[in-house]
Amino acid sequence: MYRSHNCGELRASHINTEVTLAGWVQKSRDKGFIVWVDLRDRYGITQLVFDEERTSKDMMKQAQDLGREFVIQVKGNVIERASKNPNMPTGDIEILVSELNILNEAQLPPFTIEDDTDGGEELRMKYRYLDIRRNPVKNSLIFRHKVTQEVRNYLSKEGFIEVETPYLIKSTPEGARDFVVPSRMNEGQFYALPQSPQTFKQLLMVGGMDKYFQIVKCFRDEDLRADRQPEFTQIDCEMAFIEQEDILNAFEGLTRHLLKEVNGVEVEKFPRMLYDDAMRLYGNDKPDIRFGMEFGELNAVAQHKDFNVFNSAELVVGISVPGGNSYTRKEIDKLIDWVKRPQVGALGMVYCRCNDDGTYKSSVDKFYDQDDLAKWAEVTGAKPGDLICVLSGATNKVRAQLSALRMELAERLGLRDPKTFAPLWIMDFPLLEWDEDTERYHAMHHPFTSPKPGQIELLKTDPGAVKANAYDLVLNGNEIGGGSIRIHDKETQALMFDYLGFTPEEAKAQFGFLMDAFQYGAPPHGGLAFGLDRLVAILGGQETIRDFIAFPKNNNGRDVMIDAPAPIDQEQLTELSLKLNLKS
């Protein structure tokens, strides 16, 4: 037995108990006649003491030679600490060591294994197994486990059946790029790693499974950012014989359960917002509604003067920044520089101060009088003491730019409290979106999404106007889940493929198995998939997902710890019938 107790459980009630502990040396303090060692495991830290009056010379020498991260086992007696540490759960006691066994020596780590470490992110990713020893990462992984267990428990109690689906599937042309896997046994042919188990869960509904879920790895070969990895985990769910309202109620229940059990937060309201309203009021389809600053469209009150910047714009739109009139001119100039960064792309920003005395002072006073500016304040909801920020340009671009500014201002103003949770359903997405490069429509979600009831005929006359029977669940400005009611008959699915530019032959080659299945009695069905990584991060009060993933990739999609991806040797290439044609 390596240990009788862990390093986080001993208390004053254990005094005079003989114990055996094992773990890593966090640090040691050598006073010559006495040595204190902090011993750490997953559960906490216990202080060990070696005293020359009660410890043999050989053991004192061993204790003095202990280095950081040495793996040791000790036996000893629990005694009361002379100087108690109220900041440690084990701070009332220490172990007077009677036996020391060094299980493994360790090199000095490349960074300190402390909550506030001196290691940069890339270095810590290279030595991730060391980083996991630190409390922030360790606790994040334990937190993820807790969330995952609550998901499984809740869905199981609600009658969902967990079913595994294949990882080696067929490549499809929709969505992001696939990761492909060559098949040795089928020369010149490839599997793809699934971007989601979409068609399989639909086939499970055809198979009568009724309520399915799976906590599943998915793969997308796309550009990365803080909340995106090439491999990610979904809570994938599907239900049969349901309508949209059934789906929303089911997964409101799951989200409410997680917030209560994991965070101790009761959330009753899950407001619903149309996609068009989200874009008009917030400039994106995943708005953070923990704070205001809704958009005010100013065309009617700003395009009647001789200011050509506004007159030539498709959209003039502004937001009111609470208390923003306190900003200095230098601070406002920095905001203007911020929106002009390439990542945002605005050409500039007009501003208007709302003075406490009810007057206004703008950067375009040459063109607009006090009555004009009062109308700006009315449209944006600005009050005395606020600042109005105005952008103009092409509608979609300027909405995205102002959305980015809104989020940046909210961050600076401390309006995005991670302990406050504001869920929101976004409804009625467009079914299709036009792609300028390919000059054809693409499915906004995926080609199996059903149009809203009664809109199927619009596909023939105005495809861009058709709304999808789709929905996203947003939490604190992040999309945590999305889904739709699926097409469940062959004729409608064939029509959808047609409008997406598939020939009948292409549709059959790619999705013939699904079309065939629909001929054998497919029930009405729909579902939703949560992004587990992102959900866990938000519940854990973080914006980025890396600390909640045991072994994440960096922004280039590389695992710097194991140095992957990596070349394979010529023998493997030959066996797979592959020949490299590398760009110089």
Side-chain angles (χ1 to χ4, degrees):
M1 182 174 65
Y2 277 106
R3 53 189 179 184
S4 61
H5 298 77
N6 65 54
C7 292
E9 69 176 296
L10 296 175
R11 302 291 187 270
S13 59
H14 293 94
I15 288 174
N16 293 326
T17 302
E18 289 292 325
V19 298
T20 303
L21 301 180
W24 289 264
V25 173
Q26 176 76 17
K27 61 183 177 181
S28 62
R29 299 173 298 286
D30 183 359
K31 297 295 185 182
F33 62 92
I34 191 168
V35 177
W36 289 282
V37 174
D38 285 350
L39 185 66
R40 183 195 73 243
D41 65 8
R42 181 186 125 190
Y43 305 94
I45 292 176
T46 296
Q47 181 170 283
L48 314 177
V49 60
F50 301 83
D51 183 344
E52 67 178 10
E53 293 183 1
R54 295 173 287 182
T55 304
S56 70
K57 288 184 179 180
D58 288 344
M59 192 184 300
M60 283 295 292
K61 180 65 169 64
Q62 269 189 304
Q64 289 169 334
D65 290 342
L66 289 175
R68 282 180 177 265
E69 302 306 308
F70 274 38
V71 184
I72 65 173
Q73 180 193 47
V74 296
K75 294 181 181 180
N77 188 42
V78 182
I79 62 175
E80 185 176 4
R81 275 176 73 159
S83 298
K84 295 180 173 60
N85 185 345
N87 298 317
M88 287 176 60
T90 61
D92 289 343
I93 59 93
E94 59 189 4
I95 310 300
L96 178 61
V97 177
S98 58
E99 184 178 329
L100 168 62
N101 182 19
I102 297 175
L103 302 175
N104 217 332
E105 295 184 357
Q107 294 184 22
L108 186 68
F111 54 88
T112 55
I113 312 297
E114 301 277 0
D115 290 3
D116 296 317
T117 183
D118 55 358
E121 184 176 40
E122 196 76 1
L123 180 65
R124 288 186 287 110
M125 287 182 71
K126 182 175 181 180
Y127 297 94
R128 184 64 165 181
Y129 46 85
L130 297 179
D131 202 26
I132 290 172
R133 295 180 189 175
R134 295 192 312 114
N135 283 326
V137 182
K138 175 198 72 177
N139 291 338
S140 292
L141 295 180
I142 294 171
F143 184 82
R144 181 188 179 110
H145 163 76
K146 182 178 180 181
V147 173
T148 303
Q149 290 303 105
E150 289 296 338
V151 168
R152 279 200 164 94
N153 292 340
Y154 182 87
L155 291 176
S156 296
K157 288 178 182 177
E158 291 295 312
F160 286 79
I161 305 300
E162 186 167 10
V163 182
E164 295 180 1
T165 54
Y167 279 163
L168 296 176
I169 66 167
K170 188 176 187 178
S171 183
T172 60
E174 288 296 316
R177 296 183 186 91
D178 287 327
F179 283 102
V180 294
V181 180
S183 171
R184 178 184 58 81
M185 293 180 289
N186 299 275
E187 187 175 333
Q189 297 185 337
F190 295 81
Y191 299 105
L193 300 179
Q195 296 184 33
S196 84
Q198 181 62 47
T199 54
F200 288 102
K201 64 182 177 182
Q202 290 191 251
L203 291 172
L204 285 169
M205 296 304 102
V206 177
M209 289 306 294
D210 186 53
K211 287 184 174 183
Y212 141 94
F213 85 99
Q214 182 182 189
I215 298 178
V216 58
K217 280 286 186 186
C218 301
F219 308 85
R220 290 178 186 170
D221 186 5
E222 56 188 351
D223 295 336
L224 307 182
R225 55 180 186 239
D227 62 346
R228 181 179 289 168
Q229 289 273 298
E231 53 180 318
F232 56 98
T233 306
Q234 284 187 354
I235 309 167
D236 199 55
C237 307
E238 197 81 359
M239 302 169 70
F241 299 111
I242 45 80
E243 296 177 335
Q244 180 175 278
E245 197 67 25
D246 301 304
I247 298 281
L248 303 189
N249 290 334
F251 296 106
E252 276 186 23
L254 173 59
T255 308
R256 194 176 283 114
H257 173 82
L258 291 175
L259 287 168
K260 181 179 179 181
E261 295 301 319
V262 176
N263 295 87
V265 173
E266 297 270 5
V267 176
E268 293 301 324
K269 293 185 178 180
F270 281 67
R272 300 179 184 184
M273 184 180 297
L274 298 178
Y275 168 87
D276 290 344
D277 289 339
M279 298 303 295
R280 177 176 57 84
L281 294 172
Y282 300 100
N284 70 70
D285 59 4
K286 48 181 185 299
D288 190 336
I289 59 171
R290 286 175 293 179
F291 57 95
M293 287 197 281
E294 293 183 354
F295 291 8
E297 297 189 353
L298 298 168
N299 290 42
V301 296
Q303 289 186 324
H304 63 295
K305 294 296 179 78
D306 294 329
F307 187 49
N308 192 53
V309 172
F310 284 175
N311 292 342
S312 61
E314 187 178 5
L315 177 65
V316 183
V317 62
I319 54 173
S320 168
V321 184
N325 193 31
S326 64
Y327 288 1
T328 65
R329 176 58 189 271
K330 186 176 181 180
E331 287 174 318
I332 293 175
D333 286 344
K334 285 184 177 179
L335 274 184
I336 294 172
D337 290 339
W338 191 90
V339 300
K340 290 167 72 174
R341 298 181 313 147
Q343 300 95 314
V344 180
L347 297 177
M349 184 184 84
V350 169
Y351 66 90
C352 174
R353 294 181 179 275
C354 302
N355 298 320
D356 291 337
D357 62 3
T359 62
Y360 302 94
K361 178 66 178 175
S362 83
S363 57
V364 287
D365 279 346
K366 178 180 177 181
F367 301 97
Y368 297 94
D369 59 28
Q370 292 290 298
D371 289 340
D372 294 323
L373 299 176
K375 292 176 183 175
W376 290 18
E378 181 181 355
V379 172
T380 59
K383 297 177 177 59
D386 293 349
L387 178 74
I388 303 171
C389 298
V390 182
L391 301 180
S392 61
T395 297
N396 292 339
K397 285 185 178 180
V398 77
R399 281 176 172 168
Q401 292 160 0
L402 192 60
S403 175
L405 176 61
R406 175 180 179 268
M407 295 297 281
E408 175 66 17
L409 287 166
E411 197 69 44
R412 295 184 184 189
L413 292 168
L415 300 177
R416 304 190 69 209
D417 181 2
K419 295 181 181 178
T420 299
F421 296 96
L424 171 71
W425 286 108
I426 301 296
M427 320 287 293
D428 292 8
F429 286 81
L431 182 69
L432 307 171
E433 56 184 346
W434 182 257
D435 185 275
E436 295 291 346
D437 294 332
T438 60
E439 295 188 341
R440 66 182 180 90
Y441 283 106
H442 289 260
M444 180 168 261
H445 282 73
H446 53 63
F448 315 108
T449 297
S450 173
K452 292 287 286 187
Q455 295 198 4
I456 190 72
E457 291 300 317
L458 269 178
L459 280 173
K460 300 175 183 177
T461 57
D462 191 2
V466 180
K467 299 297 184 185
N469 207 346
Y471 34 81
D472 279 359
L473 183 55
V474 175
L475 186 62
N476 295 0
N478 293 272
E479 178 199 334
I480 61 168
S484 65
I485 301 299
R486 323 301 186 190
I487 297 169
H488 68 277
D489 65 277
K490 183 178 180 179
E491 290 73 22
T492 304
Q493 188 64 73
L495 184 63
M496 184 68 170
F497 285 145
D498 181 44
Y499 281 102
L500 291 174
F502 288 85
T503 66
E505 293 75 22
E506 288 171 335
K508 183 171 180 57
Q510 294 291 336
F511 305 108
F513 62 93
L514 185 65
M515 305 282 275
D516 290 344
F518 284 175
Q519 297 180 111
Y520 293 97
H525 61 281
L528 180 143
F530 285 92
L532 178 64
D533 309 298
R534 192 177 302 169
L535 173 63
V536 170
I538 295 168
L539 294 178
Q542 304 293 324
E543 287 287 320
T544 58
I545 64 177
R546 281 184 185 161
D547 276 356
F548 297 89
I549 299 172
F551 301 103
K553 307 289 191 294
N554 69 10
N555 283 343
N556 294 318
R558 293 198 66 82
D559 186 325
V560 295
M561 182 184 68
I562 64 172
D563 194 23
I568 60 174
D569 60 35
Q570 185 58 50
E571 183 179 345
Q572 286 178 286
L573 289 172
T574 302
E575 189 175 45
L576 294 168
S577 303
L578 295 177
K579 183 177 181 181
L580 298 182
N581 183 20
L582 300 177
K583 297 177 182 177
S584 58

mmCIF file of all heavy atoms in Angstrom, residues 244 274-277 279 427-432 444-445 449-456 458-459 462-470 485 496:
data_model
loop_
_atom_site.group_PDB
_atom_site.id
_atom_site.type_symbol
_atom_site.label_atom_id
_atom_site.label_comp_id
_atom_site.label_asym_id
_atom_site.label_seq_id
_atom_site.Cartn_x
_atom_site.Cartn_y
_atom_site.Cartn_z
ATOM 1 N N GLN A 244 -40.287 21.173 -32.726
ATOM 2 C CA GLN A 244 -39.240 22.065 -32.230
ATOM 3 C C GLN A 244 -39.404 22.372 -30.743
ATOM 4 O O GLN A 244 -38.426 22.381 -29.991
ATOM 5 C CB GLN A 244 -39.257 23.375 -33.031
ATOM 6 C CG GLN A 244 -38.205 24.377 -32.587
ATOM 7 C CD GLN A 244 -38.172 25.606 -33.458
ATOM 8 O OE1 GLN A 244 -37.558 25.597 -34.518
ATOM 9 N NE2 GLN A 244 -38.855 26.659 -33.045
ATOM 10 N N LEU A 274 -35.426 36.135 -32.618
ATOM 11 C CA LEU A 274 -35.283 35.793 -34.030
ATOM 12 C C LEU A 274 -33.883 36.145 -34.512
ATOM 13 O O LEU A 274 -33.293 37.146 -34.079
ATOM 14 C CB LEU A 274 -36.323 36.526 -34.862
ATOM 15 C CG LEU A 274 -37.793 36.212 -34.566
ATOM 16 C CD1 LEU A 274 -38.702 37.065 -35.453
ATOM 17 C CD2 LEU A 274 -38.082 34.734 -34.762
ATOM 18 N N TYR A 275 -33.373 35.358 -35.418
ATOM 19 C CA TYR A 275 -32.056 35.609 -36.003
ATOM 20 C C TYR A 275 -31.968 37.026 -36.563
ATOM 21 O O TYR A 275 -30.978 37.733 -36.329
ATOM 22 C CB TYR A 275 -31.777 34.576 -37.095
ATOM 23 C CG TYR A 275 -30.584 34.879 -37.964
ATOM 24 C CD1 TYR A 275 -29.308 34.477 -37.585
ATOM 25 C CD2 TYR A 275 -30.736 35.572 -39.179
ATOM 26 C CE1 TYR A 275 -28.204 34.763 -38.374
ATOM 27 C CE2 TYR A 275 -29.633 35.853 -39.978
ATOM 28 C CZ TYR A 275 -28.372 35.451 -39.577
ATOM 29 O OH TYR A 275 -27.289 35.738 -40.359
ATOM 30 N N ASP A 276 -32.997 37.443 -37.300
ATOM 31 C CA ASP A 276 -32.980 38.781 -37.912
ATOM 32 C C ASP A 276 -32.884 39.866 -36.849
ATOM 33 O O ASP A 276 -32.193 40.876 -37.034
ATOM 34 C CB ASP A 276 -34.228 38.990 -38.770
ATOM 35 C CG ASP A 276 -34.212 38.138 -40.034
ATOM 36 O OD1 ASP A 276 -33.125 37.625 -40.402
ATOM 37 O OD2 ASP A 276 -35.287 37.963 -40.647
ATOM 38 N N ASP A 277 -33.569 39.681 -35.713
ATOM 39 C CA ASP A 277 -33.515 40.667 -34.637
ATOM 40 C C ASP A 277 -32.147 40.669 -33.961
ATOM 41 O O ASP A 277 -31.633 41.727 -33.576
ATOM 42 C CB ASP A 277 -34.606 40.384 -33.603
ATOM 43 C CG ASP A 277 -35.997 40.694 -34.126
ATOM 44 O OD1 ASP A 277 -36.109 41.477 -35.098
ATOM 45 O OD2 ASP A 277 -36.976 40.142 -33.583
ATOM 46 N N MET A 279 -29.292 40.024 -35.372
ATOM 47 C CA MET A 279 -28.365 40.731 -36.256
ATOM 48 C C MET A 279 -28.623 42.230 -36.227
ATOM 49 O O MET A 279 -27.679 43.036 -36.239
ATOM 50 C CB MET A 279 -28.491 40.193 -37.681
ATOM 51 C CG MET A 279 -28.146 38.719 -37.834
ATOM 52 S SD MET A 279 -26.481 38.293 -37.261
ATOM 53 C CE MET A 279 -25.474 39.203 -38.419
ATOM 54 N N MET A 427 -33.609 31.854 -33.016
ATOM 55 C CA MET A 427 -34.542 31.064 -33.818
ATOM 56 C C MET A 427 -34.593 31.584 -35.261
ATOM 57 O O MET A 427 -34.227 32.722 -35.540
ATOM 58 C CB MET A 427 -35.958 31.157 -33.226
ATOM 59 C CG MET A 427 -36.019 31.126 -31.705
ATOM 60 S SD MET A 427 -35.674 29.517 -31.031
ATOM 61 C CE MET A 427 -37.094 28.626 -31.629
ATOM 62 N N ASP A 428 -35.100 30.712 -36.123
ATOM 63 C CA ASP A 428 -35.435 31.095 -37.505
ATOM 64 C C ASP A 428 -34.242 31.632 -38.285
ATOM 65 O O ASP A 428 -34.268 32.720 -38.866
ATOM 66 C CB ASP A 428 -36.572 32.124 -37.530
ATOM 67 C CG ASP A 428 -37.891 31.536 -37.066
ATOM 68 O OD1 ASP A 428 -37.890 30.382 -36.591
ATOM 69 O OD2 ASP A 428 -38.922 32.219 -37.176
ATOM 70 N N PHE A 429 -33.182 30.847 -38.305
ATOM 71 C CA PHE A 429 -32.037 31.167 -39.158
ATOM 72 C C PHE A 429 -32.435 31.066 -40.632
ATOM 73 O O PHE A 429 -33.359 30.335 -40.980
ATOM 74 C CB PHE A 429 -30.902 30.177 -38.890
ATOM 75 C CG PHE A 429 -30.175 30.391 -37.604
ATOM 76 C CD1 PHE A 429 -30.696 29.913 -36.414
ATOM 77 C CD2 PHE A 429 -28.971 31.060 -37.575
ATOM 78 C CE1 PHE A 429 -30.030 30.096 -35.217
ATOM 79 C CE2 PHE A 429 -28.284 31.249 -36.385
ATOM 80 C CZ PHE A 429 -28.823 30.770 -35.204
ATOM 81 N N PRO A 430 -31.722 31.746 -41.517
ATOM 82 C CA PRO A 430 -31.904 31.449 -42.944
ATOM 83 C C PRO A 430 -31.540 29.991 -43.219
ATOM 84 O O PRO A 430 -30.602 29.456 -42.619
ATOM 85 C CB PRO A 430 -30.909 32.398 -43.630
ATOM 86 C CG PRO A 430 -30.656 33.485 -42.637
ATOM 87 C CD PRO A 430 -30.764 32.838 -41.287
ATOM 88 N N LEU A 431 -32.295 29.364 -44.108
ATOM 89 C CA LEU A 431 -31.981 27.986 -44.464
ATOM 90 C C LEU A 431 -30.707 27.920 -45.298
ATOM 91 O O LEU A 431 -29.874 27.035 -45.123
ATOM 92 C CB LEU A 431 -33.147 27.371 -45.251
ATOM 93 C CG LEU A 431 -32.980 25.908 -45.662
ATOM 94 C CD1 LEU A 431 -33.032 25.003 -44.439
ATOM 95 C CD2 LEU A 431 -34.063 25.505 -46.669
ATOM 96 N N LEU A 432 -30.549 28.898 -46.196
ATOM 97 C CA LEU A 432 -29.429 28.912 -47.131
ATOM 98 C C LEU A 432 -28.689 30.237 -47.032
ATOM 99 O O LEU A 432 -29.263 31.258 -46.646
ATOM 100 C CB LEU A 432 -29.933 28.729 -48.570
ATOM 101 C CG LEU A 432 -30.831 27.520 -48.846
ATOM 102 C CD1 LEU A 432 -31.411 27.616 -50.257
ATOM 103 C CD2 LEU A 432 -30.055 26.228 -48.681
ATOM 104 N N MET A 444 -26.860 26.877 -44.383
ATOM 105 C CA MET A 444 -26.291 27.613 -43.258
ATOM 106 C C MET A 444 -25.932 26.669 -42.118
ATOM 107 O O MET A 444 -24.922 26.858 -41.444
ATOM 108 C CB MET A 444 -27.257 28.691 -42.771
ATOM 109 C CG MET A 444 -26.725 29.499 -41.601
ATOM 110 S SD MET A 444 -27.664 30.986 -41.233
ATOM 111 C CE MET A 444 -26.670 32.228 -42.051
ATOM 112 N N HIS A 445 -26.742 25.647 -41.878
ATOM 113 C CA HIS A 445 -26.425 24.643 -40.862
ATOM 114 C C HIS A 445 -25.847 23.397 -41.540
ATOM 115 O O HIS A 445 -24.665 23.180 -41.548
ATOM 116 C CB HIS A 445 -27.661 24.314 -40.023
ATOM 117 C CG HIS A 445 -27.958 25.353 -38.987
ATOM 118 N ND1 HIS A 445 -28.469 26.590 -39.312
ATOM 119 C CD2 HIS A 445 -27.802 25.360 -37.642
ATOM 120 C CE1 HIS A 445 -28.610 27.310 -38.204
ATOM 121 N NE2 HIS A 445 -28.212 26.583 -37.181
ATOM 122 N N THR A 449 -31.232 19.990 -42.702
ATOM 123 C CA THR A 449 -32.106 20.871 -41.918
ATOM 124 C C THR A 449 -33.400 21.131 -42.669
ATOM 125 O O THR A 449 -33.398 21.466 -43.856
ATOM 126 C CB THR A 449 -31.390 22.200 -41.632
ATOM 127 O OG1 THR A 449 -30.227 21.948 -40.841
ATOM 128 C CG2 THR A 449 -32.294 23.164 -40.893
ATOM 129 N N SER A 450 -34.492 21.040 -41.958
ATOM 130 C CA SER A 450 -35.817 21.235 -42.565
ATOM 131 C C SER A 450 -36.147 22.719 -42.667
ATOM 132 O O SER A 450 -35.826 23.499 -41.767
ATOM 133 C CB SER A 450 -36.873 20.529 -41.708
ATOM 134 O OG SER A 450 -38.162 20.837 -42.171
ATOM 135 N N PRO A 451 -36.810 23.144 -43.761
ATOM 136 C CA PRO A 451 -37.341 24.509 -43.807
ATOM 137 C C PRO A 451 -38.472 24.661 -42.783
ATOM 138 O O PRO A 451 -39.070 23.682 -42.345
ATOM 139 C CB PRO A 451 -37.880 24.637 -45.229
ATOM 140 C CG PRO A 451 -37.381 23.452 -45.979
ATOM 141 C CD PRO A 451 -37.110 22.380 -44.973
ATOM 142 N N LYS A 452 -38.751 25.903 -42.423
ATOM 143 C CA LYS A 452 -39.897 26.159 -41.556
ATOM 144 C C LYS A 452 -41.165 25.670 -42.259
ATOM 145 O O LYS A 452 -41.271 25.710 -43.492
ATOM 146 C CB LYS A 452 -40.031 27.657 -41.258
ATOM 147 C CG LYS A 452 -38.920 28.226 -40.410
ATOM 148 C CD LYS A 452 -39.000 27.802 -38.966
ATOM 149 C CE LYS A 452 -40.101 28.522 -38.221
ATOM 150 N NZ LYS A 452 -40.073 28.229 -36.776
ATOM 151 N N PRO A 453 -42.128 25.174 -41.497
ATOM 152 C CA PRO A 453 -43.375 24.696 -42.115
ATOM 153 C C PRO A 453 -44.001 25.751 -43.022
ATOM 154 O O PRO A 453 -44.054 26.931 -42.683
ATOM 155 C CB PRO A 453 -44.270 24.413 -40.893
ATOM 156 C CG PRO A 453 -43.318 24.142 -39.781
ATOM 157 C CD PRO A 453 -42.129 25.010 -40.029
ATOM 158 N N GLY A 454 -44.406 25.303 -44.188
ATOM 159 C CA GLY A 454 -45.086 26.190 -45.131
ATOM 160 C C GLY A 454 -44.169 26.992 -46.025
ATOM 161 O O GLY A 454 -44.646 27.773 -46.859
ATOM 162 N N GLN A 455 -42.838 26.828 -45.882
ATOM 163 C CA GLN A 455 -41.922 27.651 -46.684
ATOM 164 C C GLN A 455 -41.203 26.862 -47.772
ATOM 165 O O GLN A 455 -40.370 27.410 -48.474
ATOM 166 C CB GLN A 455 -40.883 28.320 -45.766
ATOM 167 C CG GLN A 455 -41.492 29.319 -44.802
ATOM 168 C CD GLN A 455 -40.460 30.276 -44.231
ATOM 169 O OE1 GLN A 455 -39.286 30.257 -44.587
ATOM 170 N NE2 GLN A 455 -40.907 31.136 -43.332
ATOM 171 N N ILE A 456 -41.519 25.606 -47.916
ATOM 172 C CA ILE A 456 -40.815 24.774 -48.897
ATOM 173 C C ILE A 456 -40.976 25.313 -50.315
ATOM 174 O O ILE A 456 -40.043 25.262 -51.127
ATOM 175 C CB ILE A 456 -41.291 23.299 -48.802
ATOM 176 C CG1 ILE A 456 -40.381 22.392 -49.635
ATOM 177 C CG2 ILE A 456 -42.732 23.156 -49.208
ATOM 178 C CD1 ILE A 456 -39.036 22.169 -49.067
ATOM 179 N N LEU A 458 -41.100 28.331 -51.241
ATOM 180 C CA LEU A 458 -40.242 29.497 -51.456
ATOM 181 C C LEU A 458 -38.888 29.129 -52.053
ATOM 182 O O LEU A 458 -38.206 29.976 -52.630
ATOM 183 C CB LEU A 458 -40.011 30.239 -50.133
ATOM 184 C CG LEU A 458 -40.973 31.359 -49.744
ATOM 185 C CD1 LEU A 458 -40.601 31.926 -48.391
ATOM 186 C CD2 LEU A 458 -40.988 32.461 -50.796
ATOM 187 N N LEU A 459 -38.481 27.867 -51.895
ATOM 188 C CA LEU A 459 -37.216 27.438 -52.474
ATOM 189 C C LEU A 459 -37.183 27.662 -53.980
ATOM 190 O O LEU A 459 -36.132 27.919 -54.565
ATOM 191 C CB LEU A 459 -36.967 25.956 -52.169
ATOM 192 C CG LEU A 459 -36.431 25.611 -50.780
ATOM 193 C CD1 LEU A 459 -36.406 24.109 -50.569
ATOM 194 C CD2 LEU A 459 -35.040 26.198 -50.564
ATOM 195 N N ASP A 462 -37.686 32.215 -54.106
ATOM 196 C CA ASP A 462 -36.819 33.113 -53.332
ATOM 197 C C ASP A 462 -36.047 32.308 -52.283
ATOM 198 O O ASP A 462 -36.328 32.384 -51.087
ATOM 199 C CB ASP A 462 -37.673 34.196 -52.659
ATOM 200 C CG ASP A 462 -36.816 35.317 -52.063
ATOM 201 O OD1 ASP A 462 -35.572 35.266 -52.217
ATOM 202 O OD2 ASP A 462 -37.395 36.228 -51.438
ATOM 203 N N PRO A 463 -35.055 31.516 -52.712
ATOM 204 C CA PRO A 463 -34.362 30.611 -51.783
ATOM 205 C C PRO A 463 -33.751 31.323 -50.579
ATOM 206 O O PRO A 463 -33.738 30.785 -49.476
ATOM 207 C CB PRO A 463 -33.269 29.973 -52.651
ATOM 208 C CG PRO A 463 -33.723 30.151 -54.055
ATOM 209 C CD PRO A 463 -34.530 31.403 -54.089
ATOM 210 N N GLY A 464 -33.244 32.538 -50.780
ATOM 211 C CA GLY A 464 -32.597 33.260 -49.693
ATOM 212 C C GLY A 464 -33.545 33.687 -48.589
ATOM 213 O O GLY A 464 -33.104 34.006 -47.477
ATOM 214 N N ALA A 465 -34.840 33.684 -48.880
ATOM 215 C CA ALA A 465 -35.825 34.117 -47.883
ATOM 216 C C ALA A 465 -36.326 32.972 -47.013
ATOM 217 O O ALA A 465 -37.027 33.210 -46.025
ATOM 218 C CB ALA A 465 -37.012 34.787 -48.587
ATOM 219 N N VAL A 466 -35.999 31.739 -47.373
ATOM 220 C CA VAL A 466 -36.510 30.585 -46.638
ATOM 221 C C VAL A 466 -35.838 30.504 -45.264
ATOM 222 O O VAL A 466 -34.613 30.598 -45.135
ATOM 223 C CB VAL A 466 -36.266 29.282 -47.414
ATOM 224 C CG1 VAL A 466 -36.804 28.085 -46.635
ATOM 225 C CG2 VAL A 466 -36.915 29.355 -48.786
ATOM 226 N N LYS A 467 -36.655 30.347 -44.232
ATOM 227 C CA LYS A 467 -36.137 30.204 -42.880
ATOM 228 C C LYS A 467 -36.005 28.720 -42.532
ATOM 229 O O LYS A 467 -36.811 27.895 -42.948
ATOM 230 C CB LYS A 467 -37.061 30.885 -41.863
ATOM 231 C CG LYS A 467 -37.211 32.387 -42.082
ATOM 232 C CD LYS A 467 -35.890 33.110 -41.918
ATOM 233 C CE LYS A 467 -36.061 34.615 -42.033
ATOM 234 N NZ LYS A 467 -34.758 35.329 -41.985
ATOM 235 N N ALA A 468 -34.984 28.417 -41.738
ATOM 236 C CA ALA A 468 -34.730 27.039 -41.310
ATOM 237 C C ALA A 468 -35.465 26.746 -40.021
ATOM 238 O O ALA A 468 -35.629 27.618 -39.167
ATOM 239 C CB ALA A 468 -33.235 26.816 -41.111
ATOM 240 N N ASN A 469 -35.881 25.508 -39.872
ATOM 241 C CA ASN A 469 -36.462 25.046 -38.617
ATOM 242 C C ASN A 469 -35.298 24.697 -37.681
ATOM 243 O O ASN A 469 -35.110 23.558 -37.267
ATOM 244 C CB ASN A 469 -37.349 23.827 -38.873
ATOM 245 C CG ASN A 469 -38.439 23.681 -37.844
ATOM 246 O OD1 ASN A 469 -38.394 24.316 -36.795
ATOM 247 N ND2 ASN A 469 -39.426 22.843 -38.135
ATOM 248 N N ALA A 470 -34.500 25.735 -37.390
ATOM 249 C CA ALA A 470 -33.229 25.554 -36.675
ATOM 250 C C ALA A 470 -33.155 26.520 -35.507
ATOM 251 O O ALA A 470 -33.843 27.544 -35.483
ATOM 252 C CB ALA A 470 -32.050 25.778 -37.623
ATOM 253 N N ILE A 485 -34.809 20.748 -36.655
ATOM 254 C CA ILE A 485 -35.701 19.668 -37.060
ATOM 255 C C ILE A 485 -35.214 19.202 -38.422
ATOM 256 O O ILE A 485 -34.939 20.021 -39.309
ATOM 257 C CB ILE A 485 -37.166 20.148 -37.132
ATOM 258 C CG1 ILE A 485 -37.611 20.672 -35.763
ATOM 259 C CG2 ILE A 485 -38.065 19.023 -37.608
ATOM 260 C CD1 ILE A 485 -37.575 19.646 -34.643
ATOM 261 N N MET A 496 -33.790 19.610 -51.513
ATOM 262 C CA MET A 496 -32.763 20.379 -50.819
ATOM 263 C C MET A 496 -31.402 20.184 -51.485
ATOM 264 O O MET A 496 -30.668 21.143 -51.732
ATOM 265 C CB MET A 496 -32.707 19.950 -49.349
ATOM 266 C CG MET A 496 -31.729 20.754 -48.510
ATOM 267 S SD MET A 496 -32.261 22.451 -48.318
ATOM 268 C CE MET A 496 -31.089 23.008 -47.080
#
